[in-house]
Amino acid sequence: AMTASVHTDAEVRGAIDDLYRRFGYVADPHTAVAYLGAVHCLAQPGTPQVLLLATAHPAKFGDAVAQVL
């Protein structure tokens, strides 16, 4: 199954920060939205696993990523 998710700018910044703190991974905003969607899916009963694909390079959004990190 495939799903979509929508998140606020603050949630996206929080996800970028969370990915960096937990995994040392510098994510772009689009990948951060995918991460938030994956977290949401995994919280649903019966979701066995989730595949998350990075969608862009963080340098493409350098200013936005630098503000968070």
Short mmCIF file of all heavy atoms in Angstrom, two decimals:
data_model
loop_
_atom_site.label_atom_id
_atom_site.label_comp_id
_atom_site.label_asym_id
_atom_site.label_seq_id
_atom_site.Cartn_x
_atom_site.Cartn_y
_atom_site.Cartn_z
N ALA A 1 0.84 -1.19 0.00
CA ALA A 1 0.00 0.00 0.00
C ALA A 1 0.88 1.24 0.00
O ALA A 1 2.00 1.22 0.48
CB ALA A 1 -0.90 -0.01 1.22
N MET A 2 0.34 2.29 -0.50
CA MET A 2 1.05 3.57 -0.52
C MET A 2 0.19 4.58 0.21
O MET A 2 -1.05 4.50 0.19
CB MET A 2 1.27 4.01 -1.96
CG MET A 2 2.17 5.20 -2.09
SD MET A 2 2.44 5.67 -3.83
CE MET A 2 3.51 4.35 -4.35
N THR A 3 0.83 5.53 0.86
CA THR A 3 0.09 6.55 1.60
C THR A 3 0.75 7.91 1.41
O THR A 3 1.87 8.00 0.90
CB THR A 3 0.01 6.19 3.10
OG1 THR A 3 -0.88 7.09 3.75
CG2 THR A 3 1.37 6.23 3.76
N ALA A 4 0.07 8.94 1.82
CA ALA A 4 0.60 10.30 1.76
C ALA A 4 0.44 10.94 3.13
O ALA A 4 -0.38 10.50 3.93
CB ALA A 4 -0.15 11.11 0.71
N SER A 5 1.22 11.98 3.38
CA SER A 5 1.09 12.70 4.64
C SER A 5 1.40 14.17 4.41
O SER A 5 2.12 14.53 3.50
CB SER A 5 2.01 12.10 5.71
OG SER A 5 3.36 12.21 5.35
N VAL A 6 0.82 15.00 5.26
CA VAL A 6 1.03 16.44 5.20
C VAL A 6 1.46 16.89 6.58
O VAL A 6 0.90 16.46 7.60
CB VAL A 6 -0.28 17.16 4.81
CG1 VAL A 6 -0.09 18.67 4.81
CG2 VAL A 6 -0.77 16.67 3.46
N HIS A 7 2.48 17.76 6.63
CA HIS A 7 3.02 18.19 7.91
C HIS A 7 3.37 19.67 7.88
O HIS A 7 3.66 20.23 6.83
CB HIS A 7 4.27 17.35 8.25
CG HIS A 7 3.98 15.90 8.25
ND1 HIS A 7 3.40 15.26 9.31
CD2 HIS A 7 4.15 14.95 7.29
CE1 HIS A 7 3.24 13.99 9.02
NE2 HIS A 7 3.68 13.77 7.80
N THR A 8 3.36 20.28 9.04
CA THR A 8 3.70 21.70 9.16
C THR A 8 5.20 21.90 8.99
O THR A 8 5.99 20.94 9.12
CB THR A 8 3.28 22.26 10.53
OG1 THR A 8 4.08 21.62 11.54
CG2 THR A 8 1.81 22.03 10.80
N ASP A 9 5.58 23.14 8.74
CA ASP A 9 7.01 23.45 8.65
C ASP A 9 7.72 23.11 9.95
O ASP A 9 8.86 22.61 9.93
CB ASP A 9 7.22 24.93 8.32
CG ASP A 9 6.84 25.28 6.89
OD1 ASP A 9 6.65 24.36 6.06
OD2 ASP A 9 6.74 26.48 6.59
N ALA A 10 7.08 23.36 11.07
CA ALA A 10 7.69 23.06 12.37
C ALA A 10 7.91 21.55 12.52
O ALA A 10 8.95 21.12 13.04
CB ALA A 10 6.82 23.59 13.50
N GLU A 11 6.96 20.75 12.07
CA GLU A 11 7.12 19.29 12.15
C GLU A 11 8.27 18.83 11.26
O GLU A 11 9.05 17.95 11.65
CB GLU A 11 5.83 18.59 11.73
CG GLU A 11 4.70 18.75 12.72
CD GLU A 11 3.39 18.23 12.19
OE1 GLU A 11 3.08 18.42 11.00
OE2 GLU A 11 2.66 17.60 13.00
N VAL A 12 8.38 19.43 10.09
CA VAL A 12 9.47 19.06 9.17
C VAL A 12 10.82 19.43 9.77
O VAL A 12 11.76 18.62 9.75
CB VAL A 12 9.27 19.74 7.79
CG1 VAL A 12 10.49 19.51 6.90
CG2 VAL A 12 8.01 19.21 7.12
N ARG A 13 10.92 20.61 10.36
CA ARG A 13 12.18 21.00 11.01
C ARG A 13 12.50 20.04 12.16
O ARG A 13 13.64 19.63 12.34
CB ARG A 13 12.09 22.44 11.52
CG ARG A 13 12.15 23.48 10.40
CD ARG A 13 12.28 24.90 10.94
NE ARG A 13 11.15 25.31 11.76
CZ ARG A 13 10.06 25.88 11.31
NH1 ARG A 13 9.92 26.15 10.02
NH2 ARG A 13 9.08 26.23 12.13
N GLY A 14 11.48 19.65 12.91
CA GLY A 14 11.68 18.69 13.99
C GLY A 14 12.16 17.35 13.49
O GLY A 14 13.00 16.70 14.12
N ALA A 15 11.64 16.92 12.35
CA ALA A 15 12.05 15.64 11.78
C ALA A 15 13.50 15.69 11.29
O ALA A 15 14.26 14.74 11.49
CB ALA A 15 11.13 15.24 10.64
N ILE A 16 13.88 16.81 10.67
CA ILE A 16 15.28 16.97 10.23
C ILE A 16 16.20 16.87 11.45
O ILE A 16 17.22 16.18 11.43
CB ILE A 16 15.48 18.30 9.48
CG1 ILE A 16 14.74 18.26 8.14
CG2 ILE A 16 16.96 18.60 9.28
CD1 ILE A 16 14.66 19.61 7.43
N ASP A 17 15.82 17.56 12.51
CA ASP A 17 16.61 17.53 13.75
C ASP A 17 16.64 16.13 14.34
O ASP A 17 17.71 15.64 14.73
CB ASP A 17 16.01 18.53 14.75
CG ASP A 17 16.80 18.60 16.03
OD1 ASP A 17 18.00 18.94 15.98
OD2 ASP A 17 16.22 18.30 17.09
N ASP A 18 15.50 15.46 14.38
CA ASP A 18 15.42 14.11 14.94
C ASP A 18 16.28 13.13 14.16
O ASP A 18 17.02 12.34 14.75
CB ASP A 18 13.95 13.64 14.95
CG ASP A 18 13.76 12.33 15.67
OD1 ASP A 18 14.33 12.16 16.78
OD2 ASP A 18 13.02 11.47 15.15
N LEU A 19 16.21 13.18 12.84
CA LEU A 19 17.01 12.27 12.01
C LEU A 19 18.51 12.51 12.24
O LEU A 19 19.30 11.56 12.29
CB LEU A 19 16.66 12.45 10.54
CG LEU A 19 15.36 11.79 10.11
CD1 LEU A 19 14.88 12.35 8.77
CD2 LEU A 19 15.53 10.29 10.03
N TYR A 20 18.88 13.77 12.38
CA TYR A 20 20.30 14.08 12.60
C TYR A 20 20.75 13.61 13.98
O TYR A 20 21.79 12.97 14.13
CB TYR A 20 20.56 15.57 12.42
CG TYR A 20 22.03 15.89 12.54
CD1 TYR A 20 22.90 15.53 11.52
CD2 TYR A 20 22.54 16.51 13.67
CE1 TYR A 20 24.25 15.79 11.63
CE2 TYR A 20 23.88 16.78 13.78
CZ TYR A 20 24.75 16.42 12.75
OH TYR A 20 26.09 16.66 12.87
N ARG A 21 19.97 13.91 15.00
CA ARG A 21 20.35 13.53 16.37
C ARG A 21 20.37 12.02 16.58
O ARG A 21 21.25 11.49 17.25
CB ARG A 21 19.42 14.19 17.39
CG ARG A 21 19.60 15.68 17.50
CD ARG A 21 18.60 16.28 18.50
NE ARG A 21 18.64 17.71 18.50
CZ ARG A 21 19.47 18.43 19.23
NH1 ARG A 21 20.35 17.84 20.01
NH2 ARG A 21 19.43 19.75 19.17
N ARG A 22 19.37 11.33 16.04
CA ARG A 22 19.25 9.89 16.27
C ARG A 22 20.17 9.06 15.40
O ARG A 22 20.70 8.04 15.83
CB ARG A 22 17.81 9.44 16.06
CG ARG A 22 16.87 9.99 17.12
CD ARG A 22 15.45 9.56 16.90
NE ARG A 22 15.36 8.11 17.08
CZ ARG A 22 14.34 7.38 16.69
NH1 ARG A 22 13.31 7.95 16.09
NH2 ARG A 22 14.32 6.09 16.89
N PHE A 23 20.35 9.50 14.13
CA PHE A 23 21.06 8.65 13.18
C PHE A 23 22.26 9.32 12.52
O PHE A 23 22.95 8.67 11.72
CB PHE A 23 20.09 8.19 12.08
CG PHE A 23 18.86 7.52 12.61
CD1 PHE A 23 17.63 8.16 12.55
CD2 PHE A 23 18.92 6.26 13.19
CE1 PHE A 23 16.48 7.55 13.03
CE2 PHE A 23 17.79 5.64 13.68
CZ PHE A 23 16.56 6.29 13.61
N GLY A 24 22.50 10.61 12.80
CA GLY A 24 23.60 11.32 12.15
C GLY A 24 23.32 11.56 10.67
O GLY A 24 24.23 11.80 9.90
N TYR A 25 22.04 11.49 10.28
CA TYR A 25 21.65 11.63 8.88
C TYR A 25 21.14 13.04 8.63
O TYR A 25 20.24 13.52 9.33
CB TYR A 25 20.55 10.62 8.54
CG TYR A 25 20.13 10.66 7.09
CD1 TYR A 25 20.91 10.07 6.11
CD2 TYR A 25 18.96 11.32 6.72
CE1 TYR A 25 20.54 10.12 4.78
CE2 TYR A 25 18.58 11.37 5.39
CZ TYR A 25 19.37 10.77 4.43
OH TYR A 25 18.99 10.82 3.12
N VAL A 26 21.70 13.71 7.63
CA VAL A 26 21.26 15.04 7.26
C VAL A 26 20.20 14.89 6.16
O VAL A 26 20.52 14.50 5.04
CB VAL A 26 22.43 15.92 6.77
CG1 VAL A 26 21.93 17.30 6.35
CG2 VAL A 26 23.49 16.03 7.85
N ALA A 27 18.96 15.18 6.50
CA ALA A 27 17.84 14.99 5.57
C ALA A 27 17.40 16.32 4.96
O ALA A 27 17.47 17.36 5.60
CB ALA A 27 16.66 14.37 6.31
N ASP A 28 16.94 16.24 3.74
CA ASP A 28 16.29 17.38 3.11
C ASP A 28 14.84 17.44 3.60
O ASP A 28 14.35 16.47 4.18
CB ASP A 28 16.34 17.24 1.58
CG ASP A 28 15.49 16.08 1.12
OD1 ASP A 28 15.96 14.92 1.17
OD2 ASP A 28 14.33 16.32 0.74
N PRO A 29 14.15 18.56 3.39
CA PRO A 29 12.77 18.67 3.87
C PRO A 29 11.82 17.62 3.29
O PRO A 29 10.94 17.12 3.99
CB PRO A 29 12.34 20.08 3.44
CG PRO A 29 13.62 20.84 3.39
CD PRO A 29 14.64 19.86 2.89
N HIS A 30 11.98 17.26 2.03
CA HIS A 30 11.09 16.26 1.43
C HIS A 30 11.28 14.89 2.08
O HIS A 30 10.31 14.18 2.35
CB HIS A 30 11.32 16.15 -0.07
CG HIS A 30 11.02 17.42 -0.81
ND1 HIS A 30 11.28 17.57 -2.15
CD2 HIS A 30 10.48 18.59 -0.41
CE1 HIS A 30 10.92 18.78 -2.53
NE2 HIS A 30 10.45 19.42 -1.49
N THR A 31 12.51 14.53 2.34
CA THR A 31 12.78 13.26 3.00
C THR A 31 12.26 13.29 4.44
O THR A 31 11.76 12.29 4.95
CB THR A 31 14.29 12.93 2.97
OG1 THR A 31 14.70 12.88 1.59
CG2 THR A 31 14.60 11.62 3.66
N ALA A 32 12.34 14.45 5.08
CA ALA A 32 11.81 14.59 6.44
C ALA A 32 10.30 14.34 6.45
O ALA A 32 9.78 13.70 7.37
CB ALA A 32 12.13 15.98 7.00
N VAL A 33 9.59 14.82 5.43
CA VAL A 33 8.15 14.54 5.33
C VAL A 33 7.92 13.04 5.16
O VAL A 33 7.02 12.47 5.78
CB VAL A 33 7.50 15.35 4.18
CG1 VAL A 33 6.08 14.87 3.91
CG2 VAL A 33 7.51 16.83 4.51
N ALA A 34 8.72 12.40 4.33
CA ALA A 34 8.60 10.95 4.15
C ALA A 34 8.85 10.22 5.47
O ALA A 34 8.15 9.24 5.80
CB ALA A 34 9.57 10.47 3.08
N TYR A 35 9.83 10.68 6.22
CA TYR A 35 10.13 10.09 7.54
C TYR A 35 8.93 10.23 8.47
O TYR A 35 8.53 9.28 9.14
CB TYR A 35 11.37 10.77 8.12
CG TYR A 35 11.67 10.43 9.55
CD1 TYR A 35 12.12 9.16 9.91
CD2 TYR A 35 11.52 11.39 10.55
CE1 TYR A 35 12.40 8.86 11.24
CE2 TYR A 35 11.80 11.09 11.87
CZ TYR A 35 12.26 9.83 12.21
OH TYR A 35 12.54 9.54 13.52
N LEU A 36 8.34 11.42 8.50
CA LEU A 36 7.16 11.64 9.35
C LEU A 36 6.02 10.71 8.93
O LEU A 36 5.32 10.15 9.78
CB LEU A 36 6.72 13.09 9.28
CG LEU A 36 7.65 14.10 9.95
CD1 LEU A 36 7.28 15.52 9.56
CD2 LEU A 36 7.63 13.92 11.46
N GLY A 37 5.84 10.55 7.64
CA GLY A 37 4.81 9.63 7.16
C GLY A 37 5.10 8.20 7.55
O GLY A 37 4.20 7.44 7.95
N ALA A 38 6.37 7.80 7.48
CA ALA A 38 6.76 6.44 7.87
C ALA A 38 6.51 6.21 9.35
O ALA A 38 6.00 5.16 9.75
CB ALA A 38 8.23 6.21 7.53
N VAL A 39 6.85 7.18 10.17
CA VAL A 39 6.61 7.08 11.62
C VAL A 39 5.12 6.92 11.88
O VAL A 39 4.70 6.09 12.70
CB VAL A 39 7.20 8.30 12.36
CG1 VAL A 39 6.73 8.35 13.80
CG2 VAL A 39 8.72 8.29 12.28
N HIS A 40 4.31 7.71 11.17
CA HIS A 40 2.86 7.62 11.33
C HIS A 40 2.36 6.22 10.92
O HIS A 40 1.54 5.62 11.62
CB HIS A 40 2.17 8.70 10.50
CG HIS A 40 0.69 8.61 10.54
ND1 HIS A 40 -0.06 9.01 11.63
CD2 HIS A 40 -0.21 8.14 9.64
CE1 HIS A 40 -1.34 8.79 11.39
NE2 HIS A 40 -1.45 8.27 10.18
N CYS A 41 2.83 5.73 9.80
CA CYS A 41 2.40 4.40 9.34
C CYS A 41 2.78 3.32 10.33
O CYS A 41 1.99 2.41 10.61
CB CYS A 41 3.02 4.09 7.98
SG CYS A 41 2.24 4.91 6.61
N LEU A 42 3.99 3.39 10.85
CA LEU A 42 4.45 2.36 11.79
C LEU A 42 3.66 2.37 13.09
O LEU A 42 3.61 1.36 13.79
CB LEU A 42 5.95 2.52 12.06
CG LEU A 42 6.84 2.11 10.90
CD1 LEU A 42 8.29 2.52 11.17
CD2 LEU A 42 6.75 0.61 10.64
N ALA A 43 3.03 3.48 13.39
CA ALA A 43 2.22 3.58 14.61
C ALA A 43 0.85 2.93 14.43
O ALA A 43 0.13 2.72 15.41
CB ALA A 43 2.06 5.04 15.02
N GLN A 44 0.49 2.62 13.18
CA GLN A 44 -0.81 2.01 12.91
C GLN A 44 -0.72 0.50 13.13
O GLN A 44 0.23 -0.15 12.68
CB GLN A 44 -1.24 2.28 11.46
CG GLN A 44 -1.27 3.76 11.10
CD GLN A 44 -2.13 4.59 12.02
OE1 GLN A 44 -3.27 4.25 12.28
NE2 GLN A 44 -1.57 5.66 12.53
N PRO A 45 -1.71 -0.08 13.78
CA PRO A 45 -1.72 -1.53 13.99
C PRO A 45 -1.69 -2.28 12.66
O PRO A 45 -2.33 -1.88 11.69
CB PRO A 45 -3.05 -1.79 14.71
CG PRO A 45 -3.45 -0.47 15.28
CD PRO A 45 -2.88 0.58 14.37
N GLY A 46 -0.90 -3.33 12.62
CA GLY A 46 -0.84 -4.18 11.45
C GLY A 46 0.14 -3.73 10.38
O GLY A 46 0.21 -4.34 9.32
N THR A 47 0.90 -2.67 10.64
CA THR A 47 1.90 -2.24 9.67
C THR A 47 3.20 -2.99 9.97
O THR A 47 3.87 -2.71 10.95
CB THR A 47 2.15 -0.72 9.77
OG1 THR A 47 0.93 -0.02 9.57
CG2 THR A 47 3.17 -0.27 8.72
N PRO A 48 3.56 -3.95 9.13
CA PRO A 48 4.73 -4.78 9.43
C PRO A 48 6.05 -4.07 9.19
O PRO A 48 7.01 -4.27 9.90
CB PRO A 48 4.58 -5.98 8.50
CG PRO A 48 3.78 -5.45 7.35
CD PRO A 48 2.87 -4.39 7.92
N GLN A 49 6.12 -3.24 8.14
CA GLN A 49 7.35 -2.54 7.83
C GLN A 49 7.06 -1.38 6.89
O GLN A 49 6.00 -1.33 6.27
CB GLN A 49 8.38 -3.48 7.21
CG GLN A 49 7.89 -4.19 5.97
CD GLN A 49 8.87 -5.24 5.52
OE1 GLN A 49 10.04 -5.22 5.88
NE2 GLN A 49 8.41 -6.17 4.72
N VAL A 50 8.01 -0.49 6.79
CA VAL A 50 7.86 0.69 5.94
C VAL A 50 9.17 0.88 5.19
O VAL A 50 10.25 0.73 5.77
CB VAL A 50 7.53 1.95 6.77
CG1 VAL A 50 7.56 3.19 5.92
CG2 VAL A 50 6.19 1.80 7.45
N LEU A 51 9.08 1.22 3.94
CA LEU A 51 10.25 1.55 3.13
C LEU A 51 10.27 3.07 2.95
O LEU A 51 9.29 3.65 2.49
CB LEU A 51 10.18 0.86 1.77
CG LEU A 51 11.28 1.21 0.79
CD1 LEU A 51 12.63 0.74 1.32
CD2 LEU A 51 10.99 0.58 -0.57
N LEU A 52 11.37 3.69 3.32
CA LEU A 52 11.52 5.14 3.22
C LEU A 52 12.63 5.43 2.22
O LEU A 52 13.73 4.92 2.36
CB LEU A 52 11.88 5.73 4.59
CG LEU A 52 12.30 7.18 4.63
CD1 LEU A 52 11.12 8.08 4.29
CD2 LEU A 52 12.87 7.54 5.97
N LEU A 53 12.32 6.24 1.21
CA LEU A 53 13.31 6.61 0.21
C LEU A 53 13.63 8.09 0.33
O LEU A 53 12.72 8.92 0.39
CB LEU A 53 12.78 6.33 -1.20
CG LEU A 53 12.40 4.88 -1.49
CD1 LEU A 53 11.77 4.77 -2.87
CD2 LEU A 53 13.60 3.97 -1.38
N ALA A 54 14.92 8.42 0.37
CA ALA A 54 15.32 9.82 0.36
C ALA A 54 14.98 10.39 -1.01
O ALA A 54 15.17 9.73 -2.04
CB ALA A 54 16.81 9.95 0.63
N THR A 55 14.45 11.60 -1.03
CA THR A 55 13.94 12.14 -2.29
C THR A 55 14.77 13.27 -2.87
O THR A 55 14.54 13.65 -4.02
CB THR A 55 12.49 12.63 -2.09
OG1 THR A 55 12.48 13.62 -1.04
CG2 THR A 55 11.58 11.48 -1.70
N ALA A 56 15.69 13.81 -2.12
CA ALA A 56 16.53 14.89 -2.63
C ALA A 56 17.79 14.98 -1.78
O ALA A 56 17.89 14.37 -0.72
CB ALA A 56 15.78 16.22 -2.59
N HIS A 57 18.75 15.74 -2.25
CA HIS A 57 19.98 15.96 -1.49
C HIS A 57 19.77 17.18 -0.59
O HIS A 57 19.20 18.19 -1.03
CB HIS A 57 21.15 16.19 -2.44
CG HIS A 57 22.47 16.12 -1.75
ND1 HIS A 57 22.99 17.18 -1.04
CD2 HIS A 57 23.35 15.11 -1.64
CE1 HIS A 57 24.15 16.83 -0.52
NE2 HIS A 57 24.39 15.58 -0.88
N PRO A 58 20.23 17.12 0.67
CA PRO A 58 20.04 18.26 1.57
C PRO A 58 20.65 19.56 1.07
O PRO A 58 20.17 20.65 1.40
CB PRO A 58 20.65 17.81 2.89
CG PRO A 58 21.35 16.53 2.63
CD PRO A 58 20.90 16.00 1.32
N ALA A 59 21.70 19.48 0.26
CA ALA A 59 22.33 20.70 -0.24
C ALA A 59 21.38 21.50 -1.14
O ALA A 59 21.51 22.72 -1.26
CB ALA A 59 23.60 20.36 -1.00
N LYS A 60 20.42 20.81 -1.73
CA LYS A 60 19.44 21.50 -2.57
C LYS A 60 18.60 22.46 -1.73
O LYS A 60 18.05 23.43 -2.24
CB LYS A 60 18.55 20.47 -3.26
CG LYS A 60 17.55 21.06 -4.22
CD LYS A 60 16.78 19.97 -4.94
CE LYS A 60 15.75 20.59 -5.86
NZ LYS A 60 14.94 19.58 -6.53
N PHE A 61 18.50 22.19 -0.45
CA PHE A 61 17.73 23.01 0.49
C PHE A 61 18.66 23.51 1.60
O PHE A 61 18.30 23.50 2.77
CB PHE A 61 16.59 22.19 1.09
CG PHE A 61 15.68 21.62 0.05
CD1 PHE A 61 15.88 20.35 -0.45
CD2 PHE A 61 14.61 22.36 -0.43
CE1 PHE A 61 15.04 19.82 -1.42
CE2 PHE A 61 13.76 21.85 -1.39
CZ PHE A 61 13.97 20.57 -1.89
N GLY A 62 19.86 23.90 1.23
CA GLY A 62 20.92 24.24 2.16
C GLY A 62 20.52 25.21 3.25
O GLY A 62 20.82 24.99 4.43
N ASP A 63 19.84 26.29 2.90
CA ASP A 63 19.46 27.28 3.91
C ASP A 63 18.50 26.70 4.93
O ASP A 63 18.64 26.90 6.14
CB ASP A 63 18.84 28.52 3.25
CG ASP A 63 19.85 29.33 2.47
OD1 ASP A 63 21.06 29.19 2.71
OD2 ASP A 63 19.42 30.12 1.60
N ALA A 64 17.50 25.98 4.46
CA ALA A 64 16.49 25.40 5.35
C ALA A 64 17.12 24.37 6.29
O ALA A 64 16.83 24.35 7.49
CB ALA A 64 15.37 24.76 4.54
N VAL A 65 17.99 23.54 5.76
CA VAL A 65 18.63 22.50 6.57
C VAL A 65 19.60 23.13 7.56
O VAL A 65 19.64 22.77 8.74
CB VAL A 65 19.35 21.46 5.67
CG1 VAL A 65 20.17 20.49 6.49
CG2 VAL A 65 18.32 20.71 4.83
N ALA A 66 20.37 24.13 7.11
CA ALA A 66 21.33 24.78 8.00
C ALA A 66 20.64 25.47 9.17
O ALA A 66 21.19 25.49 10.29
CB ALA A 66 22.15 25.80 7.21
N GLN A 67 19.45 26.02 8.96
CA GLN A 67 18.73 26.68 10.05
C GLN A 67 18.37 25.68 11.16
O GLN A 67 18.32 26.05 12.31
CB GLN A 67 17.45 27.33 9.52
CG GLN A 67 17.70 28.57 8.72
CD GLN A 67 16.41 29.15 8.15
OE1 GLN A 67 15.33 28.77 8.54
NE2 GLN A 67 16.56 30.08 7.23
N VAL A 68 18.12 24.44 10.77
CA VAL A 68 17.75 23.42 11.76
C VAL A 68 18.98 22.87 12.47
O VAL A 68 18.99 22.73 13.68
CB VAL A 68 16.97 22.27 11.09
CG1 VAL A 68 16.70 21.16 12.09
CG2 VAL A 68 15.69 22.77 10.48
N LEU A 69 20.00 22.57 11.70
CA LEU A 69 21.19 21.94 12.28
C LEU A 69 22.13 22.95 12.87
O LEU A 69 22.94 22.67 13.68
CB LEU A 69 21.91 21.10 11.22
CG LEU A 69 21.05 20.02 10.57
CD1 LEU A 69 21.89 19.23 9.57
CD2 LEU A 69 20.47 19.06 11.60
#
